[in-house]
mmCIF file of all heavy atoms in Angstrom:
data_model
loop_
_atom_site.group_PDB
_atom_site.id
_atom_site.type_symbol
_atom_site.label_atom_id
_atom_site.label_comp_id
_atom_site.label_asym_id
_atom_site.label_seq_id
_atom_site.Cartn_x
_atom_site.Cartn_y
_atom_site.Cartn_z
ATOM 1 N N ALA A 1 37.181 113.608 41.630
ATOM 2 C CA ALA A 1 38.587 113.854 41.977
ATOM 3 C C ALA A 1 39.060 113.285 43.268
ATOM 4 O O ALA A 1 40.119 112.705 43.388
ATOM 5 C CB ALA A 1 38.894 115.398 41.986
ATOM 6 N N ALA A 2 38.238 113.268 44.335
ATOM 7 C CA ALA A 2 38.463 112.730 45.641
ATOM 8 C C ALA A 2 38.601 111.199 45.461
ATOM 9 O O ALA A 2 39.623 110.592 46.057
ATOM 10 C CB ALA A 2 37.474 113.181 46.640
ATOM 11 N N ILE A 3 37.675 110.645 44.713
ATOM 12 C CA ILE A 3 37.782 109.125 44.565
ATOM 13 C C ILE A 3 38.983 108.745 43.813
ATOM 14 O O ILE A 3 39.707 107.737 44.143
ATOM 15 C CB ILE A 3 36.506 108.697 43.894
ATOM 16 C CG1 ILE A 3 35.257 108.835 44.820
ATOM 17 C CG2 ILE A 3 36.547 107.194 43.465
ATOM 18 C CD1 ILE A 3 33.924 108.627 44.081
ATOM 19 N N ALA A 4 39.251 109.434 42.780
ATOM 20 C CA ALA A 4 40.590 109.085 42.003
ATOM 21 C C ALA A 4 41.773 109.306 42.764
ATOM 22 O O ALA A 4 42.669 108.312 42.692
ATOM 23 C CB ALA A 4 40.623 110.055 40.754
ATOM 24 N N ALA A 5 41.909 110.254 43.627
ATOM 25 C CA ALA A 5 43.029 110.469 44.476
ATOM 26 C C ALA A 5 43.135 109.364 45.485
ATOM 27 O O ALA A 5 44.282 108.852 45.692
ATOM 28 C CB ALA A 5 42.999 111.841 45.175
ATOM 29 N N THR A 6 42.039 108.908 45.998
ATOM 30 C CA THR A 6 42.034 107.871 47.043
ATOM 31 C C THR A 6 42.523 106.517 46.363
ATOM 32 O O THR A 6 43.370 105.794 46.953
ATOM 33 C CB THR A 6 40.641 107.616 47.550
ATOM 34 O OG1 THR A 6 40.265 108.826 48.214
ATOM 35 C CG2 THR A 6 40.710 106.556 48.673
ATOM 36 N N MET A 7 42.048 106.301 45.207
ATOM 37 C CA MET A 7 42.448 105.049 44.414
ATOM 38 C C MET A 7 44.014 105.101 44.135
ATOM 39 O O MET A 7 44.591 104.038 44.250
ATOM 40 C CB MET A 7 41.699 104.887 43.211
ATOM 41 C CG MET A 7 40.198 104.518 43.537
ATOM 42 S SD MET A 7 39.115 104.499 42.034
ATOM 43 C CE MET A 7 39.875 103.264 41.123
ATOM 44 N N MET A 8 44.473 106.230 43.719
ATOM 45 C CA MET A 8 45.926 106.321 43.439
ATOM 46 C C MET A 8 46.783 106.075 44.678
ATOM 47 O O MET A 8 47.746 105.434 44.644
ATOM 48 C CB MET A 8 46.227 107.670 42.811
ATOM 49 C CG MET A 8 45.730 107.740 41.361
ATOM 50 S SD MET A 8 45.814 109.391 40.631
ATOM 51 C CE MET A 8 47.542 109.832 40.942
ATOM 52 N N CYS A 9 46.354 106.667 45.799
ATOM 53 C CA CYS A 9 47.072 106.537 47.082
ATOM 54 C C CYS A 9 47.056 105.084 47.462
ATOM 55 O O CYS A 9 48.042 104.564 47.999
ATOM 56 C CB CYS A 9 46.512 107.415 48.130
ATOM 57 S SG CYS A 9 46.853 109.138 47.867
ATOM 58 N N ALA A 10 45.982 104.398 47.302
ATOM 59 C CA ALA A 10 45.735 103.043 47.769
ATOM 60 C C ALA A 10 46.772 102.051 46.937
ATOM 61 O O ALA A 10 47.281 101.079 47.449
ATOM 62 C CB ALA A 10 44.355 102.525 47.698
ATOM 63 N N GLY A 11 47.026 102.394 45.649
ATOM 64 C CA GLY A 11 47.835 101.619 44.833
ATOM 65 C C GLY A 11 49.324 101.904 45.065
ATOM 66 O O GLY A 11 50.135 101.078 44.656
ATOM 67 N N ALA A 12 49.669 102.897 45.697
ATOM 68 C CA ALA A 12 51.060 103.212 45.960
ATOM 69 C C ALA A 12 51.646 102.278 47.053
ATOM 70 O O ALA A 12 50.906 101.990 47.974
ATOM 71 C CB ALA A 12 51.226 104.671 46.371
ATOM 72 N N GLN A 13 52.850 101.908 46.853
ATOM 73 C CA GLN A 13 53.471 101.035 47.809
ATOM 74 C C GLN A 13 54.070 101.915 48.998
ATOM 75 O O GLN A 13 54.749 102.922 48.782
ATOM 76 C CB GLN A 13 54.637 100.284 47.144
ATOM 77 C CG GLN A 13 54.020 99.241 46.246
ATOM 78 C CD GLN A 13 55.139 98.313 45.608
ATOM 79 O OE1 GLN A 13 56.348 98.728 45.737
ATOM 80 N NE2 GLN A 13 54.680 97.240 45.098
ATOM 81 N N ALA A 14 53.882 101.517 50.171
ATOM 82 C CA ALA A 14 54.491 102.140 51.345
ATOM 83 C C ALA A 14 55.926 101.695 51.426
ATOM 84 O O ALA A 14 56.336 100.624 50.920
ATOM 85 C CB ALA A 14 53.784 101.668 52.583
ATOM 86 N N LYS A 15 56.767 102.616 51.970
ATOM 87 C CA LYS A 15 58.122 102.405 52.182
ATOM 88 C C LYS A 15 58.494 102.512 53.577
ATOM 89 O O LYS A 15 58.077 103.360 54.240
ATOM 90 C CB LYS A 15 59.083 103.272 51.188
ATOM 91 C CG LYS A 15 58.763 102.958 49.741
ATOM 92 C CD LYS A 15 59.505 103.991 48.949
ATOM 93 C CE LYS A 15 59.191 103.813 47.477
ATOM 94 N NZ LYS A 15 59.642 104.869 46.589
ATOM 95 N N VAL A 16 59.480 101.651 54.067
ATOM 96 C CA VAL A 16 59.903 101.716 55.512
ATOM 97 C C VAL A 16 61.427 101.786 55.526
ATOM 98 O O VAL A 16 62.112 101.389 54.562
ATOM 99 C CB VAL A 16 59.388 100.510 56.288
ATOM 100 C CG1 VAL A 16 57.893 100.534 56.372
ATOM 101 C CG2 VAL A 16 59.867 99.154 55.774
ATOM 102 N N TRP A 17 61.895 102.327 56.697
ATOM 103 C CA TRP A 17 63.347 102.396 56.901
ATOM 104 C C TRP A 17 63.784 101.221 57.786
ATOM 105 O O TRP A 17 63.100 100.983 58.750
ATOM 106 C CB TRP A 17 63.704 103.717 57.392
ATOM 107 C CG TRP A 17 63.642 104.829 56.390
ATOM 108 C CD1 TRP A 17 62.514 105.522 56.045
ATOM 109 C CD2 TRP A 17 64.566 105.208 55.475
ATOM 110 N NE1 TRP A 17 62.736 106.421 55.115
ATOM 111 C CE2 TRP A 17 64.017 106.238 54.701
ATOM 112 C CE3 TRP A 17 65.927 104.851 55.219
ATOM 113 C CZ2 TRP A 17 64.683 106.911 53.716
ATOM 114 C CZ3 TRP A 17 66.599 105.570 54.262
ATOM 115 C CH2 TRP A 17 65.998 106.536 53.459
ATOM 116 N N ASN A 18 64.953 100.620 57.562
ATOM 117 C CA ASN A 18 65.495 99.573 58.407
ATOM 118 C C ASN A 18 67.030 99.693 58.449
ATOM 119 O O ASN A 18 67.667 100.083 57.513
ATOM 120 C CB ASN A 18 65.227 98.113 57.971
ATOM 121 C CG ASN A 18 63.796 97.834 58.017
ATOM 122 O OD1 ASN A 18 62.983 97.960 57.070
ATOM 123 N ND2 ASN A 18 63.419 97.222 59.119
ATOM 124 N N TYR A 19 67.592 99.352 59.588
ATOM 125 C CA TYR A 19 69.097 99.170 59.707
ATOM 126 C C TYR A 19 69.290 97.753 59.375
ATOM 127 O O TYR A 19 68.438 96.826 59.705
ATOM 128 C CB TYR A 19 69.585 99.533 61.092
ATOM 129 C CG TYR A 19 69.600 100.955 61.380
ATOM 130 C CD1 TYR A 19 68.570 101.671 62.073
ATOM 131 C CD2 TYR A 19 70.692 101.743 61.036
ATOM 132 C CE1 TYR A 19 68.635 102.942 62.373
ATOM 133 C CE2 TYR A 19 70.809 103.106 61.252
ATOM 134 C CZ TYR A 19 69.760 103.682 61.955
ATOM 135 O OH TYR A 19 69.839 104.989 62.162
ATOM 136 N N ALA A 20 70.341 97.402 58.731
ATOM 137 C CA ALA A 20 70.593 95.994 58.257
ATOM 138 C C ALA A 20 72.041 95.664 58.218
ATOM 139 O O ALA A 20 72.955 96.568 58.107
ATOM 140 C CB ALA A 20 69.932 95.769 56.921
ATOM 141 N N GLU A 21 72.346 94.377 58.225
ATOM 142 C CA GLU A 21 73.667 93.841 58.028
ATOM 143 C C GLU A 21 73.776 93.199 56.645
ATOM 144 O O GLU A 21 72.871 92.503 56.216
ATOM 145 C CB GLU A 21 73.959 92.751 59.139
ATOM 146 C CG GLU A 21 75.099 91.903 58.929
ATOM 147 C CD GLU A 21 75.177 90.779 59.754
ATOM 148 O OE1 GLU A 21 74.200 90.354 60.408
ATOM 149 O OE2 GLU A 21 76.370 90.136 59.934
ATOM 150 N N VAL A 22 74.747 93.575 55.892
ATOM 151 C CA VAL A 22 74.910 92.931 54.551
ATOM 152 C C VAL A 22 75.557 91.558 54.751
ATOM 153 O O VAL A 22 76.596 91.458 55.318
ATOM 154 C CB VAL A 22 75.822 93.860 53.609
ATOM 155 C CG1 VAL A 22 75.984 93.232 52.273
ATOM 156 C CG2 VAL A 22 75.188 95.227 53.501
ATOM 157 N N LEU A 23 74.845 90.603 54.054
ATOM 158 C CA LEU A 23 75.473 89.185 53.989
ATOM 159 C C LEU A 23 76.174 88.788 52.732
ATOM 160 O O LEU A 23 77.273 88.351 52.678
ATOM 161 C CB LEU A 23 74.376 88.230 54.295
ATOM 162 C CG LEU A 23 73.656 88.390 55.671
ATOM 163 C CD1 LEU A 23 72.490 87.363 55.685
ATOM 164 C CD2 LEU A 23 74.568 88.255 56.872
ATOM 165 N N ILE A 24 75.485 89.187 51.604
ATOM 166 C CA ILE A 24 75.944 88.836 50.287
ATOM 167 C C ILE A 24 75.621 89.987 49.290
ATOM 168 O O ILE A 24 74.450 90.493 49.365
ATOM 169 C CB ILE A 24 75.374 87.466 49.710
ATOM 170 C CG1 ILE A 24 75.736 86.385 50.648
ATOM 171 C CG2 ILE A 24 75.777 87.236 48.319
ATOM 172 C CD1 ILE A 24 75.048 85.041 50.267
ATOM 173 N N VAL A 25 76.457 90.300 48.364
ATOM 174 C CA VAL A 25 76.227 91.309 47.344
ATOM 175 C C VAL A 25 76.470 90.633 46.027
ATOM 176 O O VAL A 25 77.504 89.982 45.841
ATOM 177 C CB VAL A 25 77.167 92.531 47.516
ATOM 178 C CG1 VAL A 25 76.889 93.584 46.437
ATOM 179 C CG2 VAL A 25 77.169 93.199 48.869
ATOM 180 N N GLY A 26 75.604 90.882 45.029
ATOM 181 C CA GLY A 26 75.875 90.296 43.659
ATOM 182 C C GLY A 26 74.962 90.794 42.620
ATOM 183 O O GLY A 26 73.913 91.478 42.872
ATOM 184 N N ASN A 27 75.295 90.314 41.341
ATOM 185 C CA ASN A 27 74.487 90.650 40.214
ATOM 186 C C ASN A 27 73.977 89.384 39.576
ATOM 187 O O ASN A 27 74.542 88.371 39.656
ATOM 188 C CB ASN A 27 75.333 91.425 39.190
ATOM 189 C CG ASN A 27 75.594 92.872 39.542
ATOM 190 O OD1 ASN A 27 74.776 93.558 40.007
ATOM 191 N ND2 ASN A 27 76.906 93.233 39.324
ATOM 192 N N SER A 28 72.768 89.412 38.984
ATOM 193 C CA SER A 28 72.221 88.253 38.397
ATOM 194 C C SER A 28 72.604 88.253 36.957
ATOM 195 O O SER A 28 72.978 89.281 36.403
ATOM 196 C CB SER A 28 70.763 88.138 38.523
ATOM 197 O OG SER A 28 70.115 89.263 37.669
ATOM 198 N N PHE A 29 72.514 87.173 36.213
ATOM 199 C CA PHE A 29 72.870 87.151 34.759
ATOM 200 C C PHE A 29 71.855 87.940 33.988
ATOM 201 O O PHE A 29 72.202 88.400 32.873
ATOM 202 C CB PHE A 29 72.868 85.713 34.252
ATOM 203 C CG PHE A 29 73.988 84.839 34.756
ATOM 204 C CD1 PHE A 29 73.732 83.741 35.579
ATOM 205 C CD2 PHE A 29 75.299 85.177 34.456
ATOM 206 C CE1 PHE A 29 74.784 83.070 36.089
ATOM 207 C CE2 PHE A 29 76.362 84.452 34.973
ATOM 208 C CZ PHE A 29 76.120 83.342 35.781
ATOM 209 N N GLY A 30 70.693 88.191 34.543
ATOM 210 C CA GLY A 30 69.682 89.059 33.816
ATOM 211 C C GLY A 30 69.922 90.469 34.014
ATOM 212 O O GLY A 30 69.208 91.257 33.422
ATOM 213 N N GLY A 31 70.934 90.849 34.769
ATOM 214 C CA GLY A 31 71.328 92.268 34.888
ATOM 215 C C GLY A 31 70.820 92.948 36.219
ATOM 216 O O GLY A 31 71.159 94.017 36.506
ATOM 217 N N GLY A 32 70.054 92.204 37.039
ATOM 218 C CA GLY A 32 69.641 92.843 38.229
ATOM 219 C C GLY A 32 70.671 92.763 39.348
ATOM 220 O O GLY A 32 71.537 91.846 39.339
ATOM 221 N N SER A 33 70.624 93.641 40.277
ATOM 222 C CA SER A 33 71.559 93.750 41.427
ATOM 223 C C SER A 33 70.810 93.324 42.676
ATOM 224 O O SER A 33 69.652 93.831 42.911
ATOM 225 C CB SER A 33 72.236 94.961 41.568
ATOM 226 O OG SER A 33 73.014 95.348 40.455
ATOM 227 N N TYR A 34 71.360 92.459 43.525
ATOM 228 C CA TYR A 34 70.732 91.939 44.654
ATOM 229 C C TYR A 34 71.600 91.936 45.923
ATOM 230 O O TYR A 34 72.904 91.860 45.719
ATOM 231 C CB TYR A 34 70.188 90.572 44.492
ATOM 232 C CG TYR A 34 69.136 90.433 43.410
ATOM 233 C CD1 TYR A 34 69.530 90.271 42.054
ATOM 234 C CD2 TYR A 34 67.806 90.494 43.771
ATOM 235 C CE1 TYR A 34 68.486 90.132 41.087
ATOM 236 C CE2 TYR A 34 66.833 90.441 42.779
ATOM 237 C CZ TYR A 34 67.183 90.353 41.411
ATOM 238 O OH TYR A 34 66.270 90.224 40.463
ATOM 239 N N ILE A 35 71.111 92.108 47.145
ATOM 240 C CA ILE A 35 71.891 91.967 48.276
ATOM 241 C C ILE A 35 71.048 91.116 49.224
ATOM 242 O O ILE A 35 69.789 91.203 49.255
ATOM 243 C CB ILE A 35 72.345 93.227 48.922
ATOM 244 C CG1 ILE A 35 71.187 94.207 49.258
ATOM 245 C CG2 ILE A 35 73.321 93.985 48.025
ATOM 246 C CD1 ILE A 35 71.596 95.512 49.953
ATOM 247 N N ARG A 36 71.666 90.358 50.053
ATOM 248 C CA ARG A 36 70.946 89.556 51.113
ATOM 249 C C ARG A 36 71.320 90.271 52.475
ATOM 250 O O ARG A 36 72.485 90.522 52.769
ATOM 251 C CB ARG A 36 71.536 88.132 51.136
ATOM 252 C CG ARG A 36 70.663 87.183 51.859
ATOM 253 C CD ARG A 36 70.958 85.718 51.603
ATOM 254 N NE ARG A 36 70.528 85.329 50.238
ATOM 255 C CZ ARG A 36 69.272 84.857 49.880
ATOM 256 N NH1 ARG A 36 68.315 84.955 50.764
ATOM 257 N NH2 ARG A 36 69.084 84.482 48.684
ATOM 258 N N LEU A 37 70.334 90.396 53.243
ATOM 259 C CA LEU A 37 70.395 91.218 54.443
ATOM 260 C C LEU A 37 69.801 90.591 55.723
ATOM 261 O O LEU A 37 68.872 89.746 55.576
ATOM 262 C CB LEU A 37 69.681 92.583 54.293
ATOM 263 C CG LEU A 37 70.185 93.435 53.160
ATOM 264 C CD1 LEU A 37 69.206 94.670 53.079
ATOM 265 C CD2 LEU A 37 71.581 93.908 53.283
ATOM 266 N N ASN A 38 70.299 90.963 56.948
ATOM 267 C CA ASN A 38 69.587 90.678 58.183
ATOM 268 C C ASN A 38 69.249 92.053 58.747
ATOM 269 O O ASN A 38 70.023 92.988 58.710
ATOM 270 C CB ASN A 38 70.566 89.997 59.159
ATOM 271 C CG ASN A 38 70.797 88.558 58.851
ATOM 272 O OD1 ASN A 38 70.030 87.899 58.250
ATOM 273 N ND2 ASN A 38 71.943 87.993 59.321
ATOM 274 N N SER A 39 68.070 92.123 59.335
ATOM 275 C CA SER A 39 67.654 93.420 59.989
ATOM 276 C C SER A 39 68.384 93.507 61.267
ATOM 277 O O SER A 39 68.757 92.476 61.902
ATOM 278 C CB SER A 39 66.098 93.462 60.082
ATOM 279 O OG SER A 39 65.716 92.429 61.027
#
């Protein structure tokens, strides 16, 4: 159980917080939404 939990945690992506400036906002033809930023 300890090994399995360690493997699951290692596969998870870390997330960080940033302040940013928005440069461009838009949607792709494939349906995704994107923004271009400066930190």
